[in-house]
Amino acid sequence: MVIMTISFSRLLFDSSILLSLFRYTMAILTISFFRSMESQKFTMLHEIDVLRSTPSTIKVKVLKVWSVKDNIKPNEDFLIEMVFMDESGNRMQSTVFKQDIFRFKRYLNENATLTIVNPSLGSNASNYKVIDCPNKLVLNSSTHVNPCSQFDGPTFSFKFYSFKSVIDKEIPLKATIDIIGHVVHVFKDNNSNLRDVKRNARLTMDVSDISGDSVYVTLWGDYVSQFSKYVIDHFDESHMIILMQFGRVKYHKEKPYVSNSYSSDVTRVFLNDSISEIEDYKTRLFEFLEFNVDGVVRRPIPVKLMSTLDEEFLMATSFFNICEICTILQPKSIIVLGTIKVVCPDSEWYSGPYVYIVLYVIIF
């Protein structure tokens, strides 16, 4: 019995040593794998070839991610779309289909850097191409994705088009473009539906560049809220530089309009952000304005002229449901949006069954 106990204890001791050695070996192998991934030569996006005998390995940054919902099951994603950028600044659209979303979704975050082994290359047959490229990447069951800690490429890789090229239609009409300019006028007569602000809100502005050319820029949905919030928070600024990445171009009565994508969140809008492209534009703009003898360059308007009193009021005041009024403990101003259900018959102004009102309430 003593011998068996000693042997059993020795077995447990030897097993723990073997388990520790196994874990140590796996850790070393994992570190070596990631180091080899970091040091190996990666294929640039424009070099990917379907006829290669060996799988391609790419290192990319995720510039943008958005999902397309399933028409049959609206609560589920049908596919996930991305824009990848390599260290040389090349960009390419990529897709993950529904059956493979669970494999990759945790890695697909904006600004994440990844190493991807064996992506498929397919034809980009969409009528609306985010990137002007005939091909797109597909991540499938044969693809392996890992996070990457080192990326020596640009931050955004903007591909700017001049306003003149937009006016002259020298652009890819079925793809998105990047533009930068300064706001010279905001049109106040924009159609907005207070009942469905996120989807139907619209704002159009006249944007000029340093060459004096101008295009109309239209913002829809949440991008209007982004613009309005910036105006309220930076009311005293003397100008606004707007940079739109992945904007869509349309022509109405021969006038060019650049807008955010209405069907997805692919577009990025930067308003006076502290990024090098906006800082460089701002420096060149004020140098041109200083020596703008012929008045070629149109002057930017101050931010405080970009909103009406109604817009400021609606953006700065909180919306409440009627049942939430009793929860307010501090004096404040609120807005209640409701439907008139009962009207005094002696009042003659009421003329329809569905009248929507905005009730402005001050709680004392």
Side-chain angles (χ1 to χ4, degrees), residues 83-194:
V83 176
F84 287 154
M85 175 185 69
D86 62 25
E87 290 184 313
S88 296
N90 302 303
R91 305 182 302 183
M92 185 176 287
Q93 193 171 338
S94 181
T95 299
V96 177
F97 289 103
K98 186 173 184 176
Q99 66 272 17
D100 295 310
I101 288 178
F102 75 97
R103 303 175 186 271
F104 307 111
K105 189 171 184 177
R106 64 183 182 275
Y107 300 113
L108 303 178
N109 303 305
E110 288 185 13
N111 299 318
T113 54
L114 308 170
T115 54
I116 302 176
V117 181
N118 198 28
S120 296
L121 186 66
S123 174
N124 188 358
S126 173
N127 289 327
Y128 174 41
K129 297 179 175 64
V130 176
I131 303 297
D132 186 24
C133 178
N135 300 319
K136 67 190 307 185
L137 292 176
V138 178
L139 310 187
N140 53 38
S141 58
S142 300
T143 306
H144 301 280
V145 176
N146 288 293
C148 173
S149 60
Q150 183 179 358
F151 186 83
D152 297 325
T155 304
F156 300 107
S157 186
F158 298 115
K159 307 294 184 183
F160 290 117
Y161 283 83
S162 69
F163 287 2
K164 188 178 187 308
S165 66
V166 176
I167 296 170
D168 295 340
K169 299 183 180 181
E170 298 173 353
I171 57 170
L173 295 180
K174 293 185 178 181
T176 63
I177 65 171
D178 303 341
I179 61 168
I180 185 171
H182 55 280
V183 179
V184 297
H185 183 73
V186 175
F187 296 96
K188 303 298 184 182
D189 187 17
N190 291 289
N191 295 325
S192 296
N193 186 343
L194 195 60

Side-chain angles (χ1 to χ4, degrees), residues 21 43 65 78 103 137 161 168 191 244 284 289 327:
L21 288 173
T43 304
V65 181
F78 180 70
R103 303 175 186 271
L137 292 176
Y161 283 83
D168 295 340
N191 295 325
M244 180 179 286
R284 291 186 293 120
L289 289 175
T327 64

Side-chain angles (χ1 to χ4, degrees), residues 37-99:
M37 291 292 289
E38 296 286 346
S39 60
Q40 75 176 90
K41 178 176 175 57
F42 295 97
T43 304
M44 295 293 106
L45 291 176
H46 68 284
E47 297 174 342
I48 298 177
D49 187 355
V50 292
L51 300 179
R52 288 178 57 139
S53 58
T54 57
S56 298
T57 300
I58 60 175
K59 183 197 288 188
V60 295
K61 180 177 182 179
V62 183
L63 284 183
K64 195 67 182 177
V65 181
W66 68 100
S67 60
V68 177
K69 295 299 180 181
D70 193 322
N71 291 331
I72 300 176
K73 299 179 179 179
N75 294 328
E76 298 182 6
D77 292 334
F78 180 70
L79 54 84
I80 294 179
E81 295 278 354
M82 302 143 287
V83 176
F84 287 154
M85 175 185 69
D86 62 25
E87 290 184 313
S88 296
N90 302 303
R91 305 182 302 183
M92 185 176 287
Q93 193 171 338
S94 181
T95 299
V96 177
F97 289 103
K98 186 173 184 176
Q99 66 272 17

Side-chain angles (χ1 to χ4, degrees), residues 196-251:
D196 194 4
V197 173
K198 286 190 175 182
R199 179 170 177 80
N200 292 318
R202 185 192 70 186
L203 184 143
T204 300
M205 65 194 83
D206 191 353
V207 179
S208 181
D209 63 11
I210 295 175
S211 300
D213 296 308
S214 299
V215 298
Y216 293 132
V217 173
T218 300
L219 301 179
W220 294 89
D222 288 338
Y223 296 92
V224 177
S225 300
Q226 177 189 349
F227 180 91
S228 300
K229 185 178 186 306
Y230 183 89
V231 169
I232 291 173
D233 293 343
H234 303 82
F235 196 71
D236 295 327
E237 292 193 7
S238 62
H239 60 276
M240 179 186 288
I241 311 300
I242 181 171
L243 189 159
M244 180 179 286
Q245 187 177 33
F246 307 129
R248 185 73 184 272
V249 181
K250 291 185 177 180
Y251 294 88

